[in-house]
mmCIF file of all heavy atoms in Angstrom:
data_model
loop_
_atom_site.group_PDB
_atom_site.id
_atom_site.type_symbol
_atom_site.label_atom_id
_atom_site.label_comp_id
_atom_site.label_asym_id
_atom_site.label_seq_id
_atom_site.Cartn_x
_atom_site.Cartn_y
_atom_site.Cartn_z
ATOM 1 N N ASN B 140 14.004 18.027 2.113
ATOM 2 C CA ASN B 140 15.143 17.160 1.883
ATOM 3 C C ASN B 140 14.995 16.208 0.789
ATOM 4 O O ASN B 140 15.842 15.397 0.388
ATOM 5 C CB ASN B 140 15.338 16.262 3.200
ATOM 6 C CG ASN B 140 15.627 17.188 4.409
ATOM 7 O OD1 ASN B 140 16.391 18.148 4.215
ATOM 8 N ND2 ASN B 140 15.046 16.910 5.511
ATOM 9 N N TYR B 141 13.790 16.155 0.141
ATOM 10 C CA TYR B 141 13.613 15.173 -0.867
ATOM 11 C C TYR B 141 13.640 15.838 -2.178
ATOM 12 O O TYR B 141 12.833 16.836 -2.454
ATOM 13 C CB TYR B 141 12.234 14.433 -0.731
ATOM 14 C CG TYR B 141 11.965 13.358 -1.800
ATOM 15 C CD1 TYR B 141 12.679 12.199 -1.794
ATOM 16 C CD2 TYR B 141 11.060 13.677 -2.776
ATOM 17 C CE1 TYR B 141 12.422 11.277 -2.842
ATOM 18 C CE2 TYR B 141 10.901 12.783 -3.811
ATOM 19 C CZ TYR B 141 11.531 11.544 -3.815
ATOM 20 O OH TYR B 141 11.305 10.702 -4.748
ATOM 21 N N ALA B 142 14.481 15.401 -3.081
ATOM 22 C CA ALA B 142 14.498 15.974 -4.462
ATOM 23 C C ALA B 142 14.054 14.894 -5.453
ATOM 24 O O ALA B 142 14.360 13.716 -5.346
ATOM 25 C CB ALA B 142 15.924 16.400 -4.866
ATOM 26 N N VAL B 143 13.164 15.365 -6.416
ATOM 27 C CA VAL B 143 12.699 14.364 -7.410
ATOM 28 C C VAL B 143 13.745 14.062 -8.437
ATOM 29 O O VAL B 143 14.257 14.971 -8.956
ATOM 30 C CB VAL B 143 11.393 14.852 -8.074
ATOM 31 C CG1 VAL B 143 10.807 13.867 -9.056
ATOM 32 C CG2 VAL B 143 10.370 15.327 -7.022
ATOM 33 N N PRO B 144 14.125 12.892 -8.682
ATOM 34 C CA PRO B 144 14.972 12.589 -9.818
ATOM 35 C C PRO B 144 14.477 12.942 -11.145
ATOM 36 O O PRO B 144 13.201 13.067 -11.303
ATOM 37 C CB PRO B 144 15.173 10.970 -9.737
ATOM 38 C CG PRO B 144 14.588 10.597 -8.401
ATOM 39 C CD PRO B 144 13.546 11.573 -7.992
ATOM 40 N N MET B 145 15.329 13.386 -12.022
ATOM 41 C CA MET B 145 14.988 13.893 -13.266
ATOM 42 C C MET B 145 13.976 13.003 -14.021
ATOM 43 O O MET B 145 12.968 13.492 -14.527
ATOM 44 C CB MET B 145 16.290 14.025 -14.157
ATOM 45 C CG MET B 145 16.183 14.648 -15.492
ATOM 46 S SD MET B 145 15.489 13.580 -16.785
ATOM 47 C CE MET B 145 16.705 12.257 -16.909
ATOM 48 N N ALA B 146 14.180 11.745 -14.126
ATOM 49 C CA ALA B 146 13.321 10.829 -14.881
ATOM 50 C C ALA B 146 11.979 10.831 -14.245
ATOM 51 O O ALA B 146 10.956 10.878 -15.014
ATOM 52 C CB ALA B 146 13.911 9.416 -14.825
ATOM 53 N N VAL B 147 11.741 10.849 -12.932
ATOM 54 C CA VAL B 147 10.519 10.796 -12.312
ATOM 55 C C VAL B 147 9.774 12.117 -12.717
ATOM 56 O O VAL B 147 8.576 12.040 -13.039
ATOM 57 C CB VAL B 147 10.630 10.591 -10.817
ATOM 58 C CG1 VAL B 147 9.281 10.640 -10.160
ATOM 59 C CG2 VAL B 147 11.424 9.333 -10.533
ATOM 60 N N ALA B 148 10.430 13.215 -12.625
ATOM 61 C CA ALA B 148 9.837 14.473 -12.925
ATOM 62 C C ALA B 148 9.379 14.465 -14.393
ATOM 63 O O ALA B 148 8.252 14.891 -14.713
ATOM 64 C CB ALA B 148 10.733 15.656 -12.740
ATOM 65 N N ALA B 149 10.243 13.981 -15.253
ATOM 66 C CA ALA B 149 9.885 13.876 -16.706
ATOM 67 C C ALA B 149 8.668 12.995 -16.859
ATOM 68 O O ALA B 149 7.748 13.297 -17.718
ATOM 69 C CB ALA B 149 11.091 13.440 -17.538
ATOM 70 N N PHE B 150 8.619 11.900 -16.245
ATOM 71 C CA PHE B 150 7.440 10.978 -16.353
ATOM 72 C C PHE B 150 6.216 11.574 -15.891
ATOM 73 O O PHE B 150 5.130 11.307 -16.396
ATOM 74 C CB PHE B 150 7.710 9.630 -15.600
ATOM 75 C CG PHE B 150 8.345 8.581 -16.456
ATOM 76 C CD1 PHE B 150 9.616 8.595 -16.779
ATOM 77 C CD2 PHE B 150 7.518 7.557 -16.810
ATOM 78 C CE1 PHE B 150 10.141 7.670 -17.619
ATOM 79 C CE2 PHE B 150 8.018 6.506 -17.620
ATOM 80 C CZ PHE B 150 9.341 6.532 -18.005
ATOM 81 N N PHE B 151 6.284 12.413 -14.895
ATOM 82 C CA PHE B 151 5.051 13.164 -14.387
ATOM 83 C C PHE B 151 4.666 14.317 -15.368
ATOM 84 O O PHE B 151 3.445 14.349 -15.629
ATOM 85 C CB PHE B 151 5.342 13.702 -13.033
ATOM 86 C CG PHE B 151 4.159 14.467 -12.535
ATOM 87 C CD1 PHE B 151 3.057 13.893 -12.001
ATOM 88 C CD2 PHE B 151 4.204 15.923 -12.409
ATOM 89 C CE1 PHE B 151 1.946 14.474 -11.541
ATOM 90 C CE2 PHE B 151 3.036 16.633 -11.922
ATOM 91 C CZ PHE B 151 1.919 15.905 -11.554
ATOM 92 N N LEU B 152 5.617 14.985 -15.872
ATOM 93 C CA LEU B 152 5.288 16.181 -16.568
ATOM 94 C C LEU B 152 4.935 15.998 -18.085
ATOM 95 O O LEU B 152 4.148 16.608 -18.571
ATOM 96 C CB LEU B 152 6.358 17.296 -16.451
ATOM 97 C CG LEU B 152 6.571 17.794 -14.940
ATOM 98 C CD1 LEU B 152 7.832 18.548 -14.884
ATOM 99 C CD2 LEU B 152 5.249 18.606 -14.586
ATOM 100 N N LEU B 153 5.693 15.180 -18.692
ATOM 101 C CA LEU B 153 5.606 14.967 -20.135
ATOM 102 C C LEU B 153 4.154 14.622 -20.561
ATOM 103 O O LEU B 153 3.611 15.169 -21.451
ATOM 104 C CB LEU B 153 6.629 13.924 -20.647
ATOM 105 C CG LEU B 153 8.059 14.524 -20.874
ATOM 106 C CD1 LEU B 153 9.075 13.487 -21.106
ATOM 107 C CD2 LEU B 153 8.092 15.720 -21.829
ATOM 108 N N PRO B 154 3.510 13.661 -19.985
ATOM 109 C CA PRO B 154 2.174 13.306 -20.376
ATOM 110 C C PRO B 154 1.242 14.504 -20.225
ATOM 111 O O PRO B 154 0.247 14.562 -20.943
ATOM 112 C CB PRO B 154 1.835 12.131 -19.507
ATOM 113 C CG PRO B 154 3.116 11.507 -19.130
ATOM 114 C CD PRO B 154 4.087 12.618 -18.923
#
Side-chain angles (χ1 to χ4, degrees):
Chain B
N140 297 320
Y141 179 76
V143 184
M145 184 282 299
V147 178
F150 265 74
F151 177 73
L152 294 170
L153 283 171

